[in-house]
Amino acid sequence: KREGKLDRDDPVLRLHAYNSQRKTLRVQRCNYSDGLRSNYAMDLKGHIKLGAADVSFRAVLQAQYGRRLPPLSDTRLSNAVGIAMVLFYKTEHGEILPYLPRRAKPGIVSETVGTTKKQAVFSGGYHCTASGETMWKDAARTFKEVFTQDMCRELYEEVGLTEQDLQWIHPVSFCRELLRGGKPQLFFAGFTKVPPSEINARRRDAIQRQIRQGRQEIEDDVLIADTPEQLYAQLWSHGTIEAVANMTFAQDCAILAHRARQF
């Protein structure tokens, strides 16, 4: 809160168990701040003392589980389910490109609201088209109601595109992130026929909405490369680790979609 990274504490969805045979998820409700005290704080030191040495939460878990990730049932971790997507679009010349905006840098100064709040994670790098935590909804039951619709909510908040603007959207991977203690992550890929000029206008409108709310999430800048090799070179240099991971799975989905003439 002192650093301006937490302006609200929404209820989010945590993963308690996953049955790979039945392909079912057992979920629970927690608060966004629970993640800031666990998965997002794996390497902070100075709050837990064992003997004379300051140790991190990661060291505590490693002492218990060794080189394995903690089980999802370990309630010391919030394990809120992250959602992210890479959206593809078609240029005026018929090229298919991924839409990768740059995340806003800390403490952007706005003429209307002054200095905006800092991003909790991934500030300043080229990122997925949209990302966030899965919001808890009491009435939601199906995968689409819980995850896909929430992904579309994030898409509108961050870049101004809606579910109606998508020709298709598919989940492409469900995994756990090593750096954040095995935090669950659901990756999507999608395609929109909205032309680039309209995409840019929607992004700028979304940025203005963010500024009015005191938190600018993205800048008016996107990663554009001439070749796939150049794209990945720039991603590794200037992208977020989540964008690299999402692109790895999204490109495979895009290849299949191209073969099925879904572009």
Side-chain angles (χ1 to χ4, degrees):
K1 286 184 178 179
R2 285 196 302 269
E3 293 180 3
K5 293 184 177 183
L6 182 67
D7 59 344
R8 63 184 190 272
D9 196 9
D10 294 321
V12 296
L13 182 147
R14 76 178 298 269
L15 182 63
H16 178 71
Y18 172 66
N19 188 315
S20 58
Q21 294 181 334
R22 300 178 61 187
K23 297 183 179 179
T24 56
L25 308 175
R26 183 178 179 184
V27 299
Q28 298 172 328
R29 174 176 172 157
C30 71
N31 292 326
Y32 178 76
S33 60
D34 293 328
L36 298 181
R37 288 191 285 263
S38 58
N39 294 90
Y40 288 102
M42 296 296 297
D43 297 304
L44 293 182
K45 296 182 179 181
H47 299 288
I48 306 173
K49 288 182 178 292
L50 297 179
D54 290 350
V55 298
S56 65
F57 186 27
R58 190 185 303 279
V60 172
L61 293 174
Q62 189 172 21
Q64 181 175 351
Y65 299 113
R67 297 174 64 85
R68 298 183 179 182
L69 286 175
L72 293 169
S73 57
D74 191 325
T75 54
R76 290 173 295 182
L77 290 157
S78 76
N79 283 334
V81 180
I83 48 177
M85 79 174 300
V86 168
L87 186 67
F88 294 91
Y89 68 97
K90 184 177 290 188
T91 70
E92 296 90 341
H93 304 292
E95 299 172 313
I96 305 298
L97 295 180
Y99 183 15
L100 304 174
R102 184 190 287 274
R103 291 278 285 177
K105 297 182 178 65
I108 289 179
V109 178
S110 163
E111 295 180 357
T112 56
V113 298
T115 303
T116 59
K117 297 180 177 64
K118 297 179 180 179
Q119 300 300 303
V121 292
F122 297 135
S123 60
Y126 288 106
H127 195 48
C128 314
T129 313
S131 67
E133 303 278 48
T134 307
M135 295 291 106
W136 178 268
K137 293 179 284 187
D138 291 325
R141 289 294 182 269
T142 67
F143 184 93
K144 181 176 181 180
E145 291 173 337
V146 176
F147 297 108
T148 306
Q149 290 181 359
D150 209 50
M151 186 70 260
C152 293
R153 173 192 58 80
E154 287 283 356
L155 186 67
Y156 176 73
E157 289 183 2
E158 296 194 18
V159 296
L161 295 171
T162 68
E163 186 174 3
Q164 288 68 41
D165 295 319
L166 305 183
Q167 182 163 324
W168 52 262
I169 177 173
H170 299 303
V172 292
S173 179
F174 190 57
C175 52
R176 299 180 69 187
E177 185 183 328
L178 295 173
L179 291 179
R180 292 191 277 191
K183 183 183 185 300
Q185 182 70 40
L186 181 62
F187 289 125
F188 286 85
F191 175 66
T192 179
K193 283 192 171 181
V194 175
S197 59
E198 180 65 20
I199 287 176
N200 293 338
R202 301 275 194 94
R203 181 177 65 254
R204 289 164 188 146
D205 289 343
I207 290 173
Q208 291 305 310
R209 287 194 298 271
Q210 294 162 20
I211 290 174
R212 288 194 293 269
Q213 295 172 4
R215 178 186 290 279
Q216 183 174 343
E217 298 189 51
I218 63 168
E219 297 181 16
D220 190 14
D221 184 22
V222 296
L223 180 60
I224 297 177
D226 294 328
T227 65
E229 292 76 17
Q230 187 183 91
L231 172 70
Y232 271 98
Q234 291 189 53
L235 260 184
W236 279 114
S237 300
H238 308 294
T240 67
I241 189 171
E242 192 167 287
V244 174
N246 201 159
M247 270 297 301
T248 300
F249 298 108
Q251 69 170 359
D252 292 338
C253 180
I255 291 171
L256 293 174
H258 185 268
R259 291 173 181 171
R261 301 183 183 277
Q262 292 183 344
F263 282 116

